[in-house]
């Protein structure tokens, strides 16, 4: 089955702890993304990566870090510097077609709760 | 500042009604506009629009983009309870950078 997987589905963390969210895709997509979704605020871009070993900050990157060592994987670390980390985190991937248009496909998400 | 605004924020209709959801945008370097349906978790892709005036259709859903007036509409005809969801609009500005609206929550009553 081709798709995007995220783990864990639910995650609880104490304040002051770093936590890493997993995102894996087997769609052979070049680009991968991390979004945060809060009630009433839609999706906000945290980081994106166009290609392996390269990534850029999105609109709300502070307190987060990523790596892109493999094409299939784009883990997100929520650090203790993130002031309000409780949210629903969505990973996505995409591949530009020959017309240079891009469609994102999303994973099932991880709900992070900081206690 | 780039922004995407969706309206209405929420909508309640009865089965069989037709609904129109709106998405207006102000972004630099527009590339495309996308519509997604989010029922519980992962948004699922509906349409991508890049050219003005060309309607995209899929069953009871259709969408069109107006690049002059900077908006798009998503129409759903003969609504069903399974259409109940949050509908998200996203705009790609530049390359690989997306901005999403807050979504329209649609509830279809039997």
């Amino acid at each position: 089955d081709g798709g995007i997987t995220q783990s864990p589905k639910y995650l609880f963390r104490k304040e002051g702890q770093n936590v890493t969210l997993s995102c894996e895709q087997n769609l052979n997509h070049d680009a991968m993304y991390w979004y945060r979704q809060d009630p009433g605020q839609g999706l906000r871009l945290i980081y994106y990566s166009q290609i392996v070993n390269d990534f850029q900050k999105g609109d709300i990157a502070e307190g987060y870090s990523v790596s892109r060592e493999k094409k299939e994987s784009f883990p997100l670390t929520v650090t203790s510097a993130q002031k309000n980390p409780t949210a629903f985190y969505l990973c996505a991937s995409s591949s530009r077609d020959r017309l240079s248009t891009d469609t994102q496909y999303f994973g099932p998400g991880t709900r992070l709760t900081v206690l | 500042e780039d922004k995407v605004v969706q309206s209405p924020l929420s909508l309640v209709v009865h089965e069989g009604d037709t609904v129109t959801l709106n998405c207006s945008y102000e972004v630099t370097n527009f590339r495309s506009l996308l519509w997604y349906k989010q029922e519980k978790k992962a948004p699922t892709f509906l349409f991508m629009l890049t050219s003005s005036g060309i309607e995209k259709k899929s069953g009871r859903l259709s969408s069109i983009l107006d690049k002059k007036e900077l908006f798009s509409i998503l129409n759903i005809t003969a609504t069903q309870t399974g259409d109940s969801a949050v509908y998200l609009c996203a705009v790609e500005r530049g390359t690989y950078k997306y901005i999403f609206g807050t979504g329209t929550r649609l509830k279809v009553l039997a």
Side-chain angles (χ1 to χ4, degrees):
Chain A
D1 267 313
I4 304 172
T5 56
Q6 291 185 241
S7 61
K9 196 181 286 189
Y10 299 96
L11 188 57
F12 297 88
R13 161 198 124 172
K14 291 183 180 178
E15 271 192 51
Q17 290 179 335
N18 291 357
V19 64
T20 297
L21 282 58
S22 167
C23 177
E24 304 275 333
Q25 54 99 0
N26 60 6
L27 301 167
N28 200 33
H29 285 171
D30 290 314
M32 296 187 75
Y33 313 77
W34 274 105
Y35 292 91
R36 169 183 172 137
Q37 188 173 31
D38 295 279
Q41 292 199 47
L43 277 67
R44 291 182 290 168
L45 182 64
I46 304 172
Y47 269 97
Y48 65 102
S49 168
Q50 299 179 34
I51 199 165
V52 175
N53 292 322
D54 183 63
F55 49 83
Q56 282 80 40
K57 292 181 179 179
D59 299 312
I60 55 163
E62 186 176 345
Y64 299 97
S65 65
V66 293
S67 62
R68 186 83 187 278
E69 296 174 3
K70 297 187 297 182
K71 188 175 185 177
E72 313 81 60
S73 179
F74 191 40
L76 173 74
T77 296
V78 184
T79 75
S80 56
Q82 169 49 234
K83 293 176 184 174
N84 187 17
T86 294
F88 185 53
Y89 290 87
L90 284 160
C91 177
S93 70
S94 70
S95 183
R96 290 201 177 279
D97 63 21
R98 61 183 175 83
L99 299 176
S100 196
T101 53
D102 186 69
T103 301
Q104 294 186 340
Y105 295 90
F106 286 84
T110 292
R111 189 166 296 280
L112 172 64
T113 303
V114 174
L115 305 171
Chain B
E1 184 184 330
D2 292 343
K3 61 180 178 180
V4 174
V5 178
Q6 291 186 245
S7 63
L9 288 180
S10 65
L11 193 55
V12 181
V13 300
H14 289 91
E15 270 192 320
D17 288 349
T18 293
V19 297
T20 298
L21 309 183
N22 300 287
C23 175
S24 64
Y25 62 91
E26 290 179 34
V27 303
T28 52
N29 202 9
F30 174 93
R31 286 184 70 103
S32 64
L33 185 145
L34 297 91
W35 285 97
Y36 290 88
K37 178 182 181 182
Q38 186 176 27
E39 292 180 81
K40 287 184 180 176
K41 293 185 177 177
T44 53
F45 172 76
L46 295 175
F47 298 111
M48 180 171 62
L49 304 154
T50 56
S51 302
S52 272
I54 299 175
E55 185 182 49
K56 296 248 178 137
K57 289 197 76 168
S58 177
R60 296 176 295 102
L61 277 66
S62 64
S63 184
I64 197 161
L65 174 67
D66 185 328
K67 289 171 75 174
K68 183 179 176 186
E69 300 298 328
L70 308 182
F71 76 94
S72 173
I73 59 171
L74 175 68
N75 277 321
I76 308 175
T77 59
T79 51
Q80 303 169 358
T81 55
D83 295 327
S84 296
V86 175
Y87 289 85
L88 298 169
C89 173
V91 173
E92 187 184 12
R93 45 190 175 145
T95 306
Y96 295 107
K97 291 193 75 172
Y98 292 83
I99 181 170
F100 280 75
T102 54
T104 292
R105 183 175 296 278
L106 173 65
K107 187 168 178 63
V108 182
L109 302 175

